[in-house]
Amino acid sequence: MGKFAISLLGLFRRISLLVRRLRGHTPDDVVDRRVVSGESWSDFCDALKAAGAALSFPGTPRDPFNQAEGYRYLSRLARAGLMAFVEHADPAAPVLHRVVDETTKMGADNPDNFYLTAALDGGYEYRITGRRNTIAYLSFGTQSGHYGQGGGLPPTGYIESDEIEMDTDGCFELVVSSKPSDGNWLPMTPETGALVVRQTFGDRSTESPAELTIERIDGASGERRASHLTARALDEGLRKAGALVAGAPLLFTKWARDFQKHSNELPMFDPKVSRAAGGDPNITYYHSHWAIAPDEALLIEVTPPECEHWNFQLNNYWMESLDYRHFRIHTNKHLAHHAADGSVRLVVSHRDPDLPNWIETAGHTSGTMCFRWVRAKEHPQPRTRLVKLESLPEAAPPEIDPAVGSTA
């Protein structure tokens, strides 16, 4: 129903534009009139209202707690959309900024990641200047589309820090363009519309993210200045922001509904689907649903392969990572306790069982979860078991060998 309402709004807008053009109005006349009359704002508000339909999508939890988080999620997406498509939407003068962060979340956002994004145009050329600092993993990707547009976020180019030439201080320059460039080069295509930067911490308390700036380098200096706000830019920005708020929840609530078919298990997620939605091509994902009673614990056991990084996290039903600022809702390769044989056992429960690798549910009784391998040579299947809390002492892992994994 929600998807139909969103499609209907879009169809109505297209028909209205066509009628006005047939009456002799130019596209600029149309958007000028839409802004002056308030239609642009009204359509944005209608999109926000239609977005609420995602909270009653089949399978969604209807209790007050989860619905409250759902509406907060919509408000966060509205903030993200306005930031990306109104405030920082000019590809002639791109700005690296954070859309997904500690309080704005979507699509099983990684608690170990420091995300940055910027608006691009595949017809321009850009240069990223940076210093890596001590971040564990750094990658750059270009993408076409945006959530809510209908085509997902297919990648148009990708490069990571191991492929980038840097000086002894970790400083580098990276050209971003549709035509090949010598040296460090991040490809685009004519359809490219966004840059995404993923910086992954091993330990947030000890690592510093990269220092990065971006600038347009093609054309005369005057052409590379920021554009003045126009009625067309505002109309388009509000339309895209509304599409994000209406479209992203429909995508991820459908995923969450499907994850319930294998609740409390962690099957591998289809790589083609994750990449189409903007997932890192070097990451293998295991997405699922979880549900745990007050007297239960979910055990997750696996022997990590050789890899750049791995982590596990809990999300709410809307696929927002739980509040990792205040709760221990995830762990990773560098933070987890490892057994003497290199294996790892994670314990997900509502109460602290006084065992290594406890993942707390932060007031939730169910939600979604994600396990990742980053640049792994193998992809072992994490094993899961739902057990009673009282049985956990008998289910405790072998003694920890500090030489194998961190005990931090």
Side-chain angles (χ1 to χ4, degrees), residues 104-374:
T104 304
K105 304 154 178 270
M106 70 178 83
D109 55 288
N110 188 341
D112 288 327
N113 272 8
F114 186 92
Y115 295 96
L116 290 168
T117 190
L120 301 179
D121 185 313
Y124 297 155
E125 295 183 10
Y126 305 92
R127 177 171 54 230
I128 297 172
T129 304
R131 180 194 296 269
R132 177 170 180 172
N133 293 329
T134 57
I135 195 73
Y137 176 80
L138 172 64
S139 70
F140 301 85
T142 57
Q143 300 171 330
S144 65
H146 60 85
Y147 289 125
Q149 193 175 47
L153 290 165
T156 58
Y158 184 83
I159 192 170
E160 58 184 45
S161 53
D162 289 351
E163 304 169 282
I164 298 174
E165 285 191 27
M166 303 183 186
D167 66 17
T168 55
D169 293 324
C171 296
F172 63 91
E173 291 187 352
L174 175 64
V175 173
V176 187
S177 62
S178 293
K179 65 179 181 180
S181 175
D182 294 333
N184 298 324
W185 175 52
L186 173 61
M188 294 195 296
T189 69
E191 294 75 31
T192 295
L195 169 75
V196 60
V197 183
R198 288 182 176 88
Q199 303 188 62
T200 304
F201 292 97
D203 184 349
R204 278 181 179 266
S205 66
T206 62
E207 296 170 26
S208 300
E211 301 168 42
L212 303 169
T213 59
I214 186 171
E215 60 181 330
R216 185 180 164 198
I217 57 175
D218 64 297
S221 59
E223 296 176 0
R224 301 196 299 267
R225 297 175 62 189
S227 305
H228 297 293
L229 180 67
T230 63
R232 174 183 287 276
L234 179 69
D235 183 72
E236 182 71 7
L238 290 177
R239 185 187 65 78
K240 289 182 176 179
L244 173 72
V245 184
L250 284 174
L251 171 64
F252 295 124
T253 53
K254 180 183 182 301
W255 285 13
R257 179 200 63 185
D258 294 342
F259 295 162
Q260 293 180 68
K261 298 173 184 176
H262 41 72
S263 187
N264 293 331
E265 300 175 5
L266 277 167
M268 184 184 293
F269 192 61
D270 186 344
K272 293 181 180 179
V273 176
S274 67
R275 289 172 190 173
D280 188 323
N282 285 320
I283 297 179
T284 300
Y285 297 90
Y286 298 75
H287 284 294
S288 194
H289 178 267
W290 64 273
I292 303 174
D295 64 342
E296 293 178 331
L298 180 64
L299 300 185
I300 302 169
E301 299 163 308
V302 70
T303 299
E306 182 180 343
C307 61
E308 181 91 19
H309 187 73
W310 67 261
N311 75 357
F312 171 80
Q313 69 186 73
L314 289 186
N315 314 308
N316 63 15
Y317 186 85
W318 317 110
M319 295 191 69
E320 298 180 291
S321 65
L322 300 188
D323 188 356
Y324 52 85
R325 299 170 303 167
H326 302 117
F327 302 95
R328 191 187 309 168
I329 62 90
H330 95 295
T331 193
N332 64 35
K333 175 181 179 179
H334 301 279
L335 301 177
H337 296 250
H338 294 67
D341 63 357
S343 64
V344 172
R345 175 177 291 169
L346 312 181
V347 182
V348 181
S349 62
H350 303 295
R351 303 195 308 272
D352 187 350
D354 196 25
L355 290 171
N357 301 326
W358 174 48
I359 307 297
E360 57 184 304
T361 57
H364 296 71
T365 58
S366 64
T368 60
M369 57 183 172
C370 177
F371 207 115
R372 295 175 178 84
W373 304 122
V374 181

